[in-house]
Amino acid sequence: MSATETAGRFTARYPEEGTDPIPVERYTSEDYFEREKTAVFRRKWLNVGHVLQAPKPGDYFVQQLQVANTGVLIIHGKDGVIRAFHNMCSHRAAPVAWDDHGHCRGFLTCRFHGWVYDTKGKLVHVSDAENFPSVDAAENGLTPIWCSVWNGFIFINLAKEPEETLEEYLAPVAEHINRYDFSGYVPAFSYRIDENVNWKTLQEAQLEGWHLPYLHEKTLARAVKVEGRQYRHAGIELHGLHGVLGSPPPDSFTPPPTAALASRFGTGTVQAFGSKADQGDEGYQFRGSFDFWHLFPNFFVGLLDGLFFTFNIWPVAVDRSIWEIKGYYPPVSTAGQLFAQEYSKVGLRDPMMEDCFTHELMAAQLKSGAKSVIHFQDEEMLARHLVNGVDLCVRGLA
Amino acid sequence: MSSPLPDGFADLEPWIDWAQPTEYLRNRKRWSATMEQSQTFYDIMQQRCADALSYLDQFPLTALDEQQTRLLHLCLALAEVSVTVEMYGEPQPKYVFPIDRFVPVHDNWPLGSAGPAMESKR
């Protein structure tokens, strides 16, 4: 089909998303950002990582959540249960875990004055207890945060009582994503980028592939099909507040020499990008050569044949965000496999470096007031869906 | 002084400064090289990388000695420099975020591991 024939298909399928321009204020207003914190980040389920970041009982990691003015301690209990707490001692609010990850033998001790907590968050030792006659240990455990695990992904909810369970929250996408076999992968890479950009602007570049032939002309463009110069997604689907993009494989793909070398020795990008994988009727149904799921409000899971990767985008301020990128590959035991993984990783990294550069240029200019709106086209439906979803939350409608 | 690389790979010694232990340092090396240096290193590694990997694949990744590890780092540098040669056609492309701000957290992970070391404390 030509680019003309495929124009307008998603707008026709999802008329409720509208076609209006989007007010710039939503990316620049401190007031709007404050409302997002309350209406989105303190209500919705948020991914904070993967169980592979705390694989054994006693393992823990800390996720800083500036958007909620807290640090979240995620700890693998001695009983095998993953729990989340505010990383804050009940004595005088010092952190109980001072490193961003680690292992304990069953207890965490505050470095400040030595109060001790077990892996269930229970306060088990008050130093100089006789001098704290009014402190009841049973009532002074770590402050818990709702926590639930899905396909190995750890989610928290900062509400006092979540409006829905994680299962209910992910119900619109679970039947699709659950078909993907997440077993057998291990953490292969992790990047962290601190950017001067609104969290939605940062995500929007990942919510459409239409920019690939333009911005990524020298890096990614060869791995996708373009008609004329227009990129047409293999599919875009909206599922509740969430959604998915399918990336169109090119009609033909001639791997460059280093890609061919990498594919001789291990899992690389050639098989991932070159064709649409068939996992059988029971398996995951790929929309494109790779599928990029957005789980509202700030989590992405990219599913490929032989690897998956995730993005977490954390607002810090209206104009500052942290982008965490994590890749999961089959375990590497040889130099050849490591080389293939390195090539694949670098090939994903450099286009994202191009994205980051662009984010900051846009964010700096949006503040100028020169434009009051921005525009999204049909192929940018998932970006529109994000800002619409956030706005529904802010207006109390979702 | 003993050879910096395993027997049979002495021909790669002139490029030993490409053998950097972390992604951060490999990227810095890529960005600081000239196009001519990049192309020369790329060309030699296109000829030799498969031999090097076949040789290294005889050993477990976590049991490589110092010389073998250097050879591995030369191979990984090919993955990095391939972007210069196969994609951008220049060592310092414009409009790209620097590695100093695109932090490879995994550079601290042990080689061949699945994630960071969860060292025991307290």
Side-chain angles (χ1 to χ4, degrees):
Chain A
M1 276 195 294
S2 72
T4 310
E5 288 165 44
T6 50
R9 59 200 164 138
F10 304 120
T11 310
R13 192 194 299 163
Y14 302 112
E16 67 280 10
E17 296 295 322
T19 55
D20 290 344
I22 306 298
V24 164
E25 188 195 42
R26 294 189 199 170
Y27 303 89
T28 57
S29 156
E30 296 277 1
D31 177 56
Y32 196 83
F33 182 63
E34 288 304 314
R35 290 154 75 190
E36 289 176 337
K37 285 186 188 175
T38 312
V40 178
F41 286 92
R42 289 190 174 277
R43 286 179 55 227
K44 300 300 180 185
W45 285 93
L46 307 172
N47 174 265
V48 289
H50 194 281
V51 292
L52 292 170
Q53 290 172 255
K56 297 186 300 297
D59 290 346
Y60 64 86
F61 63 96
V62 176
Q63 178 71 50
Q64 296 301 332
L65 249 58
Q66 287 94 336
V67 69
N69 300 313
T70 194
V72 180
L73 168 68
I74 297 100
I75 187 160
H76 192 145
K78 287 306 213 185
D79 57 356
V81 177
I82 304 267
R83 293 182 177 83
F85 302 96
H86 291 277
N87 182 27
M88 190 186 296
C89 180
S90 304
H91 174 214
R92 279 164 59 190
V96 285
W98 288 41
D99 299 313
D100 63 6
H101 67 273
H103 176 81
C104 70
R105 294 199 178 88
F107 302 97
L108 284 171
T109 305
C110 180
R111 288 174 61 87
F112 197 7
H113 300 92
W115 286 26
V116 181
Y117 301 85
D118 70 11
T119 57
K120 293 180 177 178
K122 189 178 160 199
L123 177 60
V124 295
H125 172 74
V126 175
S127 324
D128 211 358
E130 307 84 74
N131 273 334
F132 287 101
S134 62
V135 171
D136 178 0
E139 288 177 8
N140 282 281
L142 298 176
T143 305
I145 297 172
W146 293 94
C147 179
S148 195
V149 178
W150 169 76
N151 281 321
F153 298 112
I154 302 168
F155 288 77
I156 61 156
N157 192 303
L158 292 164
K160 282 207 167 66
E161 286 287 338
E163 294 158 29
E164 51 194 340
T165 64
L166 178 65
E167 199 175 23
E168 288 162 349
Y169 188 65
L170 296 177
V173 302
E175 62 174 309
H176 304 280
I177 301 177
N178 285 351
R179 298 166 72 111
Y180 187 86
D181 183 2
F182 285 96
S183 64
Y185 296 103
V186 296
F189 62 77
S190 172
Y191 294 99
R192 184 177 190 279
I193 309 108
D194 187 340
E195 294 184 55
N196 297 311
V197 64
N198 180 266
W199 68 284
K200 297 187 301 301
T201 303
L202 197 164
Q203 295 199 77
E204 283 161 11
Q206 307 305 322
L207 288 167
E208 52 92 4
W210 181 55
H211 70 284
L212 263 61
Y214 296 94
L215 185 67
H216 304 309
E217 183 184 8
K218 294 185 172 170
T219 49
L220 281 181
R222 74 180 90 183
V224 296
K225 181 180 174 67
V226 288
E227 293 158 15
R229 210 183 173 191
Q230 301 315 316
Y231 175 105
R232 291 288 182 253
H233 292 93
I236 298 178
E237 297 167 18
L238 309 184
H239 297 277
L241 291 171
H242 320 294
V244 61
L245 299 176
S247 181
D251 293 327
S252 66
F253 179 70
T254 308
T258 314
L261 180 65
S263 68
R264 276 175 57 190
F265 287 90
T267 301
T269 32
V270 176
Q271 57 270 52
F273 282 96
S275 62
K276 189 169 158 175
D278 183 359
Q279 311 255 316
D281 291 344
E282 299 297 307
Y284 179 77
Q285 303 297 308
F286 278 95
R287 280 79 179 157
S289 55
F290 83 95
D291 287 1
F292 210 22
W293 287 89
H294 180 247
L295 304 187
F296 189 86
N298 66 333
F299 183 48
F300 292 76
V301 185
L303 301 179
L304 290 81
D305 185 22
L307 64 110
F308 69 93
F309 61 93
T310 63
F311 297 160
N312 298 83
I313 290 90
W314 296 108
V316 176
V318 66
D319 56 358
R320 185 177 162 202
S321 306
I322 307 287
W323 187 7
E324 295 172 341
I325 300 166
K326 295 178 187 136
Y328 298 84
Y329 285 58
V332 158
S333 60
T334 67
Q337 291 165 355
L338 186 69
F339 172 77
Q341 182 177 297
E342 186 81 1
Y343 180 78
S344 168
K345 177 182 74 174
V346 166
L348 292 169
R349 182 201 67 198
D350 281 50
M352 293 191 284
M353 289 172 152
E354 296 173 329
D355 287 326
C356 294
F357 191 89
T358 315
H359 297 155
E360 288 198 341
L361 295 178
M362 293 159 68
Q365 305 215 100
L366 280 171
K367 292 183 203 167
S368 69
K371 302 284 185 195
S372 59
V373 295
I374 59 167
H375 303 274
F376 289 128
Q377 65 122 314
D378 194 60
E379 299 290 328
E380 296 169 307
M381 175 57 77
L382 206 49
R384 177 182 292 280
H385 188 53
L386 169 66
V387 289
N388 281 351
V390 171
D391 203 54
L392 287 172
C393 293
V394 165
R395 290 190 285 133
L397 302 173
Chain B
M1 202 181 113
S2 63
S3 170
L5 290 166
D7 286 349
F9 294 96
D11 56 316
L12 296 177
E13 280 181 33
W15 290 275
I16 200 70
D17 56 335
W18 285 86
Q20 299 290 331
T22 64
E23 180 176 334
Y24 175 82
L25 291 170
R26 287 190 289 274
N27 186 268
R28 292 276 297 240
K29 175 65 184 169
R30 168 187 144 200
W31 278 69
S32 65
T34 65
M35 188 63 212
E36 190 186 356
Q37 289 166 337
S38 305
Q39 185 72 54
T40 308
F41 176 67
Y42 174 88
D43 289 343
I44 187 80
M45 288 308 291
Q46 284 298 332
Q47 292 173 39
R48 299 289 277 138
C49 188
D51 297 335
L53 293 174
S54 298
Y55 162 76
L56 292 171
D57 276 3
Q58 301 173 82
F59 313 98
L61 185 58
T62 49
L64 300 182
D65 66 22
E66 217 173 295
Q67 293 164 313
Q68 291 164 340
T69 301
R70 259 186 230 112
L71 184 61
L72 169 65
H73 291 153
L74 279 180
C75 295
L76 299 181
L78 170 62
E80 193 64 61
V81 81
S82 72
V83 180
T84 297
V85 176
E86 296 175 356
M87 292 185 181
Y88 289 113
E90 54 183 325
Q92 290 121 18
K94 288 171 78 182
Y95 318 132
V96 178
F97 235 44
I99 193 86
D100 288 285
R101 296 190 59 195
F102 203 103
V103 179
V105 177
H106 50 261
D107 271 350
N108 294 324
W109 298 357
L111 186 66
S113 75
M118 304 295 278
E119 68 278 14
S120 192
K121 285 185 185 154
R122 291 194 273 284

